[in-house]
Every structure is written in C-alpha cells, then in structure tokens.
C-alpha cells in the first residue's frame, strides 16, 4: 500500500458504413478547424467548408429546456453583451440557436447530443437535458476563445458550420476536491465545478473529512464542524466548514450543471478531526489534539464501541438526506491503525448503515477487503496495474472507478521543479496523465467492470483557486477525455494540439494553468 505523505487530431471521425461500432480515426479535419480542437474528442465531428453561423445582437435561443437555455445565455451574454432572450421552441425551421429534446439519434442516449451548425442556425438535439448541457460545452469551444471572457469583448462571434454526433464512453467522469486538508469556500468550489463542467465531468466528489478538518455541519454533533473544522494543514487557527444550507447550495449548483455530488466521510482512518471533537469516539475515551500535519494512517474510529455506529448513523443519515445522488463515499483508505478483521467488520457495518438510508456505497478500493455489497463501487487509487483483490471483486460484480495515483492524481507534481504538490506517486506531466486506457488498465478487470474515471485533487499543498487551477489544468481535461472519448480517438500527438487550443480559452476566462512544455501552446496563451 502506498502512503500519501508530503516529503515530499484532429479527431474528426467518419461513421464507417454508418455504424458506430466501426468508428475509427479517419478523415482528419484541418488542424485549423475548431471541430478538430474539441476536448474531450467527440465521437464524430466534421466541419462544413464555407459555412459560418454568426451570433448577433438579435440572436434568440429557443428551447424546450429553459434551464439549459438560460445557462447557455448566461455564458454567452457575459462576453458578447447581447440580450440573447430564451424563448420556448416553436414549430418550423429553427433559426438562431435551438436546444431541443427531439430528433436526436438513439445513440445519444442519456448524455449525448447531436449538433448541426448551418449559416442560419445552431441546432442542438438530445434525448435528455444532460445531453443538451454537454452539447452546449461543445458549442462554447466552437466559438472564439474570447467567448470565455467574464466581461464584454468586441468580437466576431462566429461558429464554423459542421456536424457533431457525440456521447460518452463511460457513465462516471469525476473530479474530486479535498476540502479537508485546506478548506475552500462555496464560491471557490463553485468556480472549480464550473471549470470541470466544461470538460463534461458529471460527478463531483467532495472529500469532506480527514485528520486535519471536518467540513460539514452535523446536527447533534456540532463540535465536528465548530471544533474539528477549525484547523487545516499548517494552520491551527483557521479552517472552515459548510453549513447544511451551504452543502445544499453546492449540490444545487452542481445539479444545474448536470453534475452529481458524491460526498465523502473518510472512515475508519483519516478521522482525527472527529476523534479530537468527541472523546467518546476514541477507544480510550480521550480526545487527541487536533492535527495540522500531513502524515496518514495514524487515526481510527473505535470500531468496538456502539457509539461509533450511532455516530455513523447520524452522519450518514443526514448526508443521505442532503444528497440526491445515489452514492455516499465512505473512504476506507489507509486504515493502518485498524486490524484487517476489525476493518472488514467496520466497513460491512458502514455499508449496512448507508443502505439503510437508501444510498449505495462508494469507497476507495481498500474496501474490497471487506465484503462489498453488490451496489458498492470501489475507487482504485494505487500505482500498480495489478491488484488481485480488486480483480477478484470486479469478477464478482464490483464496479470500479479508476483514479490511478500515478496518472489521475492532480496533486502530483508535473516535474521536480513544480512548486506545489507531492511526488509519492511519481511526477505526472500531462502526457503521463493522458497515457493510459481505463478500459484495459488493471489486469483481470474487464472494461465492463469500469464505471469510469476520476481525477482527485488532494490539497495538502493547495491553498487557493489559482493553486487548484494550476494543478488541474491541463491534466483534468486529460482525465475527462479518457472518460468521455472513444478509445479510437486516443492519440497523444492529436491530443496535445487540441489541448493547446484550450490555452487561449483558459486565459480569456482568467484561469491559471500550467504551461507544460509538452504542449505547443499558441503564442501569448
Ligand atoms: C488515497 O490516496 N489514500 C485514497
């Protein structure tokens, strides 16, 4: 087991014979085409030569899904200054921008979309509102980079003509933020949610508790937040926590971006903040001091006490009530202060409590050493490509989310010179972040066992939104692409060019990012 410590192209695809099964890289569009620059790479995207749609001051957004229409209008109004009224979709030929829940091919399923851009109209069709939302993210990338600016710009707001048919490879495409090692405000978390939504991420995993801070108010256990939330790494005097209203606001904000929040309460280890807040949770009845260092593996809830399970019932019950998503994440990693037998017993009881509250369990892959319920999802985080216990669980039906630390952990340094981050899983520049296939990564684990991917960002060294962005960009889009795009599009040479085209967008949006020397960023980006 690895211990986390601070020591520390053009992808225009033709539908072969009209069947999706035959999709493969073909008919590469010119590198100058915006359709070749979309991240994550779509299933198919073709430009129509000589055709351009232009956004104008009188352009109207017509839709049968006002929430997505208003989202798009809000994005476009900021930089264009146009009114962009959102109107109910009418009969007849769409004009302007139309977002419609009709006419999309079956292949678009739950999150896919079809986009057609002609000289008169941008027509986005999907079967579900989520598909319209993901299509809107593609449309943004077909407009000039200045469209991402937070203030009105003078621009020619053109969208090149073309056609996109697109849908995801995996249903789970996640980002995780550790708000325990350092606390991030609701506004900071929302900023990151907005950034990951642009890459069609649909799960936001909030690591809400750890040794260094407890970040969610729990009724009846007030000291968890008011005392256990009062610290963070390197700082005994400052921390923070979300009220339940704050947490609901985050869930609502994410849901408006078709992102499901997966809240994590890490247990039985990584619990010093809880143990410091309530003496009775400790086997010896003595509360340890709060902790602001970065070691792992030293804390454990007292697995033999009834009060521990009353605590779990209260915490997980309240979190279940606050969380519309199907999963509660119970952590389960690095429980080095708990015997294997106690660990299995504890995780099994925690699973039963989660089930009693109507939710399913997600846990770090260590939970396969207990007895996973059929609904339990294991999140792989190790640096190996072979784990017998994980493979056995997968063969018995346990579904996996893949976050291999040496590819997907956004807190790893890019190079030895990177001022932020850690290096226990190795240095991870963007080519390495991108260089793996989630469908064939772990030996003995079939692609059918893989729900998807997640890019965690642990925050021992991360203090600000600029720090988050520096570590997440450009690697978050790499992991998001592995989750969304067909394996047939996987090619570093093309990906780095598409990534390069994102740089001016991030710059226009006022984001920080790492100018990896592996990516040919345009001058000035
Ligand atoms: C982990 O990095 N301990 C999940």
């Amino acid at each position: 087991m690895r211990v986390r410590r601070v020591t520390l192209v053009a992808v225009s695809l033709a539908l072969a014979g009209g069947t999706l099964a035959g999709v493969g890289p073909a008919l590469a569009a010119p590198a100058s085409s915006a359709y070749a620059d979309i991240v994550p790479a779509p299933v198919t995207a073709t430009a129509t030569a000589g055709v351009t749609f232009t956004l104008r001051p009188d352009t109207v957004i017509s839709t049968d899904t006002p929430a997505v229409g208003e989202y798009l209008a809000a994005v476009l109004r900021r930089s264009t200054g146009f009114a962009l009224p959102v109107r109910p979709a009418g009969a007849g030929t769409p004009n302007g921008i139309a977002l419609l829940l009709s006419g999309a091919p079956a292949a678009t399923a739950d999150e896919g979309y079809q986009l057609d851009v002609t000289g008169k109209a941008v027509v986005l069709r999907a079967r579900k509102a989520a598909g319209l939302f993901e299509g809107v993210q593609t449309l943004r990338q077909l407009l000039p980079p200045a469209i991402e600016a937070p203030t009105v710009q003078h621009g020619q707001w053109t969208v090149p003509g073309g056609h996109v048919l697109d849908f995801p490879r995996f249903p789970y495409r996640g980002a995780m933020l550790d708000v325990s090692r350092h606390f991030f405000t609701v506004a900071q978390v929302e900023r990151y949610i907005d950034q990951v939504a642009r890459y069609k991420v649909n799960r936001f995993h909030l690591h809400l508790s750890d040794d260094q801070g407890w970040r969610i108010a729990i009724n009846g256990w007030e000291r968890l937040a008011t005392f256990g939330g009062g610290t963070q790494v390197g700082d005994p005097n400052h921390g923070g926590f979300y009220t339940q209203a704050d947490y609901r606001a985050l869930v609502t904000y994410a849901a408006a971006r078709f992102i499901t929040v997966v809240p994590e309460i890490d247990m039985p280890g990584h619990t010093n903040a809880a143990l410091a807040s309530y003496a009775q949770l400790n086997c010896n009845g003595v509360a340890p001091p709060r902790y602001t260092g970065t070691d792992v593996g030293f804390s454990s809830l007292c697995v033999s006490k009834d009060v521990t399970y009353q605590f779990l019932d209260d915490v997980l019950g309240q979190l279940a009530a606050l969380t519309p998503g199907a999963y509660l994440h119970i952590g389960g990693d690095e429980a080095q202060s708990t015997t294997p037998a106690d660990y299995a017993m504890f995780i099994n009881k925690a699973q039963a409590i989660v089930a009693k509250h109507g939710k399913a369990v997600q846990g770090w892959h260590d939970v396969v050493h207990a007895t996973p319920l059929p609904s339990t999802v294991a999140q792989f985080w190790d640096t190996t490509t072979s784990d017998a216990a994980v493979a056995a669980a997968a063969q018995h039906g346990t579904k996996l989310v893949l976050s291999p630390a040496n590819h997907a952990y956004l807190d790893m340094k890019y190079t030895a010179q990177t001022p932020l981050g850690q290096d226990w899983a190795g240095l991870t520049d963007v080519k390495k972040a991108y260089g793996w296939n989630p469908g064939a990564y772990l030996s003995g684990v079939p692609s059918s066992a893989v729900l998807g991917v997640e890019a965690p960002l642990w925050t021992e060294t991360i203090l600000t939104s600029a720090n988050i962005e520096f570590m997440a960009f450009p690697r978050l889009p790499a992991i998001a692409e592995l989750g969304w795009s067909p394996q047939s599009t996987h090619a570093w040479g093309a990906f780095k060019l598409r990534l390069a085209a994102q740089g001016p967008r991030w710059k226009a949006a006022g984001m920080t990012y790492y100018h990896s020397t592996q990516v040919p960023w345009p001058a000035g980006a």
Side-chain angles (χ1 to χ4, degrees):
M1 159 132 4
R2 298 301 192 280
V3 175
R4 176 158 23 86
R5 291 182 188 283
V6 175
T7 49
L8 352 182
V9 194
V11 185
S12 175
L13 304 179
L15 282 183
T19 72
L20 293 169
V23 166
L27 299 183
S32 61
S33 163
Y35 287 86
D37 285 341
I38 298 163
V39 178
V43 173
T44 74
T46 47
T48 310
V51 172
T52 300
F53 175 87
T54 303
L55 271 184
R56 303 189 332 186
D58 62 350
T59 297
V60 170
I61 297 174
S62 57
T63 184
D64 47 25
T65 311
V68 180
E70 289 294 350
Y71 170 90
L72 174 62
V75 167
L76 301 180
R77 283 173 191 145
R78 287 189 305 226
S79 48
T80 64
F82 298 164
L84 300 171
V86 178
R87 305 244 169 92
T93 313
N95 219 323
I97 300 177
L99 312 179
L100 303 171
L101 288 175
S102 61
T108 58
D110 289 343
E111 296 183 284
Y113 62 92
Q114 175 179 287
L115 176 66
D116 286 285
V117 181
T118 65
K120 283 202 178 129
V122 170
V123 184
L124 186 54
R125 296 183 183 275
R127 305 202 143 204
K128 302 273 176 65
L132 292 178
F133 183 83
E134 305 307 0
V136 159
Q137 304 314 318
T138 293
L139 175 59
R140 289 169 77 167
Q141 294 188 26
L142 295 172
L143 281 151
I147 200 70
E148 299 300 340
T151 56
V152 174
Q153 310 290 307
H154 295 288
Q156 261 286 93
W157 304 112
T158 57
V159 184
H163 172 80
V164 179
L165 175 61
D166 197 15
F167 48 86
R169 179 180 181 194
F170 292 108
Y172 189 117
R173 305 175 305 280
M176 187 207 86
L177 185 64
D178 169 10
V179 295
S180 178
R181 271 48 175 272
H182 281 98
F183 180 68
F184 294 88
T185 64
V186 169
Q188 288 175 308
V189 177
E190 289 177 351
R191 179 177 168 96
Y192 190 43
I193 287 174
D194 268 326
Q195 291 164 354
V196 303
R198 285 161 57 172
Y199 296 97
K200 304 185 172 79
V201 163
N202 67 353
R203 298 286 187 280
F204 198 82
H205 170 179
L206 266 178
H207 184 78
L208 287 167
S209 70
D210 214 302
D211 293 316
Q212 298 86 348
W214 182 284
R215 306 300 182 203
I216 176 83
I218 300 295
N219 299 324
W221 297 84
E222 277 73 15
R223 270 174 65 84
L224 290 169
T226 59
F227 182 75
T231 53
Q232 55 189 347
V233 166
D235 191 342
N237 300 314
H238 302 93
F241 65 88
Y242 307 120
T243 64
Q244 295 200 352
D246 289 339
Y247 177 81
R248 278 189 204 277
L250 281 175
V251 166
T252 301
Y253 193 87
R257 287 144 187 82
F258 296 86
I259 292 176
T260 303
V261 170
V262 180
E264 177 183 355
I265 300 294
D266 204 344
M267 60 181 87
H270 291 278
T271 42
N272 193 77
L275 298 169
S277 303
Y278 286 98
Q280 67 264 40
L281 296 177
N282 297 270
C283 283
N284 65 1
V286 178
R290 293 181 295 186
Y291 182 70
T292 58
T294 57
D295 282 348
V296 300
F298 61 89
S299 57
S300 182
L301 293 172
C302 187
V303 303
S304 59
K305 278 189 168 179
D306 289 345
V307 67
T308 297
Y309 301 97
Q310 186 55 49
F311 168 76
L312 258 60
D313 195 52
D314 289 341
V315 171
L316 295 171
Q318 290 179 39
L319 214 46
L322 292 166
T323 303
Y327 290 91
L328 300 186
H329 201 304
I330 61 167
D333 57 319
E334 297 176 309
Q336 293 152 11
S337 299
T338 312
T339 65
D342 280 352
Y343 176 82
M345 183 267 290
F346 174 87
I347 293 293
N348 290 342
K349 284 194 177 194
Q351 286 187 116
I353 292 169
V354 170
K356 178 184 127 188
H357 292 290
K359 301 293 181 187
V361 165
Q362 187 165 328
W364 298 106
H365 73 261
D366 317 53
V367 300
V368 303
H369 296 288
T371 309
L373 293 175
S375 58
T376 293
V377 167
Q379 183 169 2
F380 180 79
W381 63 275
D382 210 339
T383 55
T384 67
T385 54
S386 133
D387 182 312
V390 169
Q395 277 152 25
H396 283 97
T398 298
K399 296 283 192 249
L400 302 179
V401 169
L402 300 185
S403 301
N406 51 335
H407 295 283
Y409 270 28
L410 301 178
D411 59 316
M412 290 302 117
K413 290 177 181 289
Y414 293 95
T415 72
Q417 286 71 45
T418 305
L420 302 173
Q422 311 197 46
D423 61 5
W424 65 261
L427 301 171
T428 306
D429 210 333
V430 59
K431 184 175 182 184
K432 186 171 173 203
Y434 177 75
W436 58 292
N437 175 5
Y441 185 71
L442 286 176
S443 42
V445 173
S447 174
S448 59
V450 177
L451 274 186
V453 296
E454 182 178 294
L457 179 51
W458 303 101
T459 59
E460 285 90 340
T461 68
I462 307 301
L463 280 75
T464 64
S465 284
N467 290 170
I468 290 175
E469 291 158 26
F470 182 81
M471 299 308 270
F473 295 90
R475 292 181 293 193
L476 180 281
I479 303 303
E481 168 143 331
L482 295 179
W484 179 279
S485 304
Q487 175 62 17
S488 59
T489 66
H490 194 267
W492 166 249
F495 180 63
K496 71 179 181 189
L497 299 179
R498 287 185 289 111
L499 212 41
Q502 301 299 307
R505 295 177 184 280
W506 300 334
K507 186 174 181 199
M511 287 165 57
T512 299
Y513 67 98
Y514 172 62
H515 287 68
S516 169
T517 56
Q518 297 181 331
V519 177
W521 308 106

